[in-house]
Amino acid sequence: MSIRVVVADDQAPTREGLRLLLSSEPGIEVAGTASDGFEVVAMARRLRPDVVLTDIRMPRMDGLTAIRELLALDPVPAVVALTTFNLDEYLFGALQAGAVGFLLKESDPSLILDAVRVAHEGHGLVDPQVTPRLLQHFAATSPRPRTGELATLTPRESDVLRHLAAGNSNAEIAEALVIAPGTVKVHIERILAKLGLNTRLQAALYAHRHGLVTWTDLP
């Protein structure tokens, strides 16, 4: 079954370019295109896409607000933010709003296609051009005491969170912990609910910031 995508950008040439790129790829179907935040939220509510690829700077409703509203839909689409502007406020704003990916419009087309596939699989992808800033930001943040929400996690949920933060897939986590992939998915859903987060990427960043793993633990 094809991955159904909705594209949002206020520039018609960009929308059309993304539509052509995605439509030309086997296994990806462009369900619709939108020109602003209001339109993409309404379209996603009606069409129920798997993935939404959205610009951040748009009229009427900006992309950051749109991301938050998209994540309130049922079913929830995976959202990848796409922007011309390589700014920290957009990078961190998009990830904090719940986007599972962040790309620059100048990214290689293959990276955009990869981001759509990865998002559909429940993972995140951040443009290599901004990844160093993302790592530096969280590496420079001192770990906070493991209290509050972290104390509500069971030992098994903490194990799952550590593996998730190390970049492991559900299948890899299941193999490492000798549990079923479906059980891993349930644990991740409970972790997100307990920590008040929306995405795996947010959970991974949360784990790093709270000292459950360090960047040197990454494979």
Side-chain angles (χ1 to χ4, degrees):
M1 184 177 294
S2 295
I3 303 171
R4 301 180 71 251
V5 182
V6 164
V7 174
D9 195 289
D10 62 330
Q11 300 295 319
T14 301
R15 283 199 309 276
E16 180 61 13
L18 290 170
R19 187 190 68 78
L20 291 173
L21 170 67
L22 295 169
S23 297
S24 66
E25 186 68 10
I28 296 178
E29 170 194 347
V30 177
T33 62
S35 60
D36 60 53
F38 279 113
E39 190 174 348
V40 72
V41 172
M43 187 172 292
R45 183 180 291 112
R46 184 176 73 256
L47 299 178
R48 299 188 170 193
D50 300 304
V51 177
V52 173
L53 187 61
T54 182
D55 189 12
I56 292 181
R57 288 186 63 169
M58 295 186 292
R60 297 208 299 165
M61 179 191 291
D62 64 85
L64 299 182
T65 302
I67 291 170
R68 288 188 284 270
E69 297 210 6
L70 287 166
L71 294 179
L73 299 179
D74 184 18
V76 180
V79 182
V80 177
L82 187 67
T83 183
T84 303
F85 304 95
N86 190 352
L87 302 175
D88 283 354
E89 63 185 285
Y90 288 170
L91 170 60
F92 300 124
L95 298 181
Q96 289 166 358
V100 299
F102 182 93
L103 299 176
L104 299 176
K105 291 182 182 178
E106 64 190 45
S107 300
D108 189 279
S110 63
L111 189 64
I112 296 175
L113 295 173
D114 286 344
V116 169
R117 295 192 192 92
V118 167
H120 182 243
E121 294 170 357
H123 301 292
L125 190 154
V126 176
D127 195 302
Q129 296 182 72
V130 301
T131 300
R133 296 211 317 275
L134 182 65
L135 299 183
Q136 289 167 9
H137 174 81
F138 284 96
T141 304
S142 300
R144 296 174 180 174
R146 301 178 190 177
T147 57
E149 300 96 337
L150 280 176
T152 68
L153 300 183
T154 67
R156 177 59 83 193
E157 288 166 350
S158 294
D159 288 339
V160 170
L161 180 57
R162 289 188 185 92
H163 281 279
L164 184 156
N168 294 330
S169 67
N170 284 12
E172 290 169 333
I173 296 172
E175 182 179 359
L177 300 180
V178 195
I179 56 179
T183 303
V184 174
K185 182 178 179 181
V186 170
H187 281 313
I188 292 175
E189 290 172 350
R190 290 175 178 168
I191 290 167
L192 295 179
K194 288 182 177 182
L195 300 183
L197 304 173
N198 295 309
T199 68
R200 294 171 65 102
L201 185 56
Q202 287 181 340
L205 295 176
Y206 184 101
H208 284 285
R209 190 170 187 181
H210 287 74
L212 289 183
V213 289
T214 65
W215 298 112
T216 56
D217 295 327
L218 292 173

